[in-house]
Amino acid sequence: DGARPSRACSRNPTMPADPAPAFRPLKRQPAYLQVSERIREAIVSGRIPAGELLPTETELAAQFDVTRSTVREAIRLLEQGGLLGRAGRKRLAVRLPSLESASRSIQVAMQMHRVTFKDLWEVSMGLEPLAARLACATAGADFKHRLAANLERTAAALDDDEELLEAEIEFHDLVAQSTGNHALLLARQPLNQLFYPAFRPVIERLKPGRRILESHRRIHEAILANDPDTAAQWAEKHMRDFRRGILMAKLDFEGPVSPHA
């Protein structure tokens, strides 16, 4: 009837079918990694809370049906990750990771991703005013006293670049710590370890000590007065001064930041 044969009918029946996709064999994790992950899950989920002793190596080996050397290697990984600490010569206890250990790997990752001053500043523009705002409702007498002592330290360090930088970092850390907000603390810690130390050239070249002290005083006064709007406004102004200082010191705002700049 002159109709064209379908593609399926026109295929040469002697031609081989398309080859099936090749799959590689599944790889099984080493036993010590599986043990480490199971213990980690129990810790993170809270089934083994912070401060509780971990079962002995012998007990864990029996529970997992593995050798003690396998358990020992699994525990070594958890110790390196900061989830376990020695409670004696032979016993281990679950511990909360410190801010420093929790942020170290993130800081390294940010440096490897070539995070810039601009990246850090944009995030700090959100976190620092937020910390100042929250501190108005949460800062207790102890933190208010420590902030006042920091202002005295800053005033005495106007001609000492290194001391001024340390006082600057301490002030912002105190404000954040006074909030008691662990999510905020964990979010800002790795940023601060890059951002504030890298600000050293600005302090050395521009001598902005009096502007820093004025901003800190205003934030402190707002916290004492429980005035979150003013505290946040001055924290934001302070961060804008950071950006201005970076540009005036002719640092590369768009370039990767190093804490040892």
Side-chain angles (χ1 to χ4, degrees):
D1 58 4
R4 295 181 63 185
S6 69
R7 183 178 296 271
C9 294
S10 64
R11 188 182 183 94
N12 188 339
T14 62
M15 292 179 63
D18 293 335
F23 295 102
R24 296 181 179 180
L26 294 176
K27 292 182 178 180
R28 292 192 60 187
Q29 281 189 321
Y32 75 91
L33 289 178
Q34 297 182 54
V35 171
S36 176
E37 188 57 33
R38 292 280 294 280
I39 297 174
R40 184 191 307 277
E41 289 173 358
I43 292 172
V44 173
S45 68
R47 287 187 286 122
I48 308 178
E52 185 169 314
L53 290 175
L54 201 67
T56 65
E57 287 183 3
T58 302
E59 292 169 337
L60 288 171
Q63 291 177 27
F64 285 109
D65 192 21
V66 295
T67 64
R68 286 185 60 186
S69 62
T70 296
V71 170
R72 196 172 298 121
E73 187 66 16
I75 287 173
R76 184 183 66 81
L77 291 179
L78 295 170
E79 281 189 277
Q80 290 178 343
L83 292 180
L84 296 177
R86 293 287 168 181
R89 288 196 310 167
K90 296 184 178 180
R91 297 301 300 273
L92 286 160
V94 176
R95 67 180 184 186
L96 290 173
S98 66
L99 283 175
E100 289 74 19
S101 64
S103 67
R104 193 173 298 120
S105 60
I106 300 176
Q107 180 190 350
V108 170
M110 287 196 295
Q111 288 183 265
M112 293 181 69
H113 280 279
R114 316 297 285 171
V115 167
T116 67
F117 260 127
K118 182 174 182 288
D119 294 330
L120 296 178
W121 178 78
E122 287 175 343
V123 177
S124 296
M125 275 289 287
L127 291 181
E128 297 302 338
L130 173 63
R133 180 179 293 278
L134 294 176
C136 291
T138 58
D142 177 59
F143 274 108
K144 291 175 181 177
H145 175 75
R146 292 167 68 184
L147 285 169
N150 174 271
L151 293 179
E152 294 179 4
R153 178 187 182 186
T154 304
L158 296 181
D159 298 320
D160 184 334
D161 295 340
E162 194 62 33
E163 177 68 9
L164 180 61
L165 176 63
E166 291 182 9
E168 163 71 14
I169 295 172
E170 180 186 65
F171 179 85
H172 290 277
D173 284 346
L174 285 172
V175 171
Q177 290 165 16
S178 74
T179 69
N181 187 312
H182 294 289
L184 173 66
L185 293 172
L186 288 166
R188 71 184 293 278
Q189 182 71 12
L191 276 73
N192 292 355
Q193 290 178 341
L194 283 178
F195 184 72
Y196 288 107
F199 195 67
R200 181 180 285 106
V202 177
I203 290 178
E204 293 172 347
R205 299 173 195 178
L206 303 182
K207 309 299 182 185
R210 296 191 184 280
R211 291 182 67 86
I212 289 174
L213 180 58
E214 176 67 10
S215 294
H216 288 187
R217 279 178 173 161
R218 296 285 190 162
I219 294 169
H220 180 235
E221 289 170 359
I223 291 173
L224 293 179
N226 192 17
D227 184 350
D229 289 340
T230 300
Q233 287 167 7
W234 272 97
E236 182 176 326
K237 182 180 183 300
H238 189 37
M239 297 310 300
R240 292 191 186 282
D241 281 347
F242 268 92
R243 180 182 182 276
R244 187 179 301 110
I246 291 167
L247 297 176
M248 290 178 64
K250 300 189 184 305
L251 300 180
D252 187 358
F253 190 60
E254 303 281 350
V257 68
S258 166
H260 310 296

